[in-house]
Amino acid sequence: MTSFDDSRLTAMGLFAEAFGGLLAKTHTSFAEAGLSDIDFETLIRLARSPGRRLRMSDLAAQTSLSTSGVTRVVDRLEREGLVARQACATDRRASYAVITQAGTDRLTAVLPRHLADIEEWFTGLLPPEQLDVFLDMLRTIRDAVRPCATAGAESGEASAGAPAAAAPES
């Protein structure tokens, strides 16, 4: 007989409920800044990447969007002046998405509220030692299920030492 009272089902359910709840709690700050969740994720990943840019293919891998999906997002952000495209000097087939000053300014405007939301609804609910352990666990799981989540972040072409983009903090 199948048991529906399985801790694995509970773990997955709790994780999905927590993530969905966090998205709902933080969505408003993005909407007020004129950004969708994927717009914010794209901009923050670019801002946190070496040289504040990523190859389009790496951006697609990091966001789990298809190449056509990331192209549509970058097209829209480019029309708004938040992102620019830059040709790759070593590979004519590749291009970079680069966050512009306007994109940085938009992030700077939304970040205080977003960080306050994160503190109120996520990180502030855990004591520092639990948060450190939880972040390590999330990285372990993320690295197993999304090995491309930091694609392009290790690039030595730009400023070394920039932190890899984290899972969406939306």
Side-chain angles (χ1 to χ4, degrees):
M1 179 173 208
T2 302
S3 172
F4 298 109
D5 188 23
D6 187 309
S7 62
R8 295 170 292 187
L9 294 171
T10 302
M12 190 65 183
L14 286 170
F15 181 77
E17 290 168 358
F19 183 70
L22 286 168
L23 286 179
K25 294 289 187 188
T26 60
H27 176 77
T28 304
S29 60
F30 300 153
E32 288 174 359
L35 297 172
S36 69
D37 293 347
I38 193 62
D39 293 344
F40 176 82
E41 182 180 0
T42 300
L43 293 174
I44 198 72
R45 286 181 180 276
L46 292 173
R48 294 179 60 157
S49 294
R52 299 164 39 112
R53 69 184 191 164
L54 284 168
R55 284 181 185 252
M56 292 287 286
S57 58
D58 291 336
L59 183 57
Q62 282 195 19
T63 59
S64 288
L65 289 172
S66 64
T67 52
S68 63
V70 84
T71 297
R72 285 190 298 276
V73 170
V74 169
D75 284 348
R76 185 177 65 253
L77 293 173
E78 190 173 35
R79 282 191 301 274
E80 292 183 41
L82 305 177
V83 170
R85 280 194 174 81
Q86 196 177 72
C88 177
T90 59
D91 184 353
R92 290 184 11 197
R93 297 166 298 170
S95 64
Y96 290 93
V98 183
I99 190 168
T100 64
Q101 186 59 52
T104 301
D105 293 345
R106 182 82 60 96
L107 274 180
T108 300
V110 75
L111 216 49
R113 167 109 184 258
H114 183 54
L115 290 171
D117 287 344
I118 292 170
E119 181 67 21
E120 180 177 359
W121 299 109
F122 183 31
T123 59
L125 299 174
L126 302 172
E129 61 278 358
Q130 283 184 343
L131 181 59
D132 289 343
V133 171
F134 185 64
L135 292 175
D136 287 342
M137 291 187 299
L138 286 175
R139 283 186 188 98
T140 298
I141 295 165
R142 187 265 328 259
D143 292 348
V145 299
R146 288 196 52 208
C148 294
T150 59
E154 306 82 22
S155 173
E157 296 179 24
S159 60
E169 298 176 295
S170 50

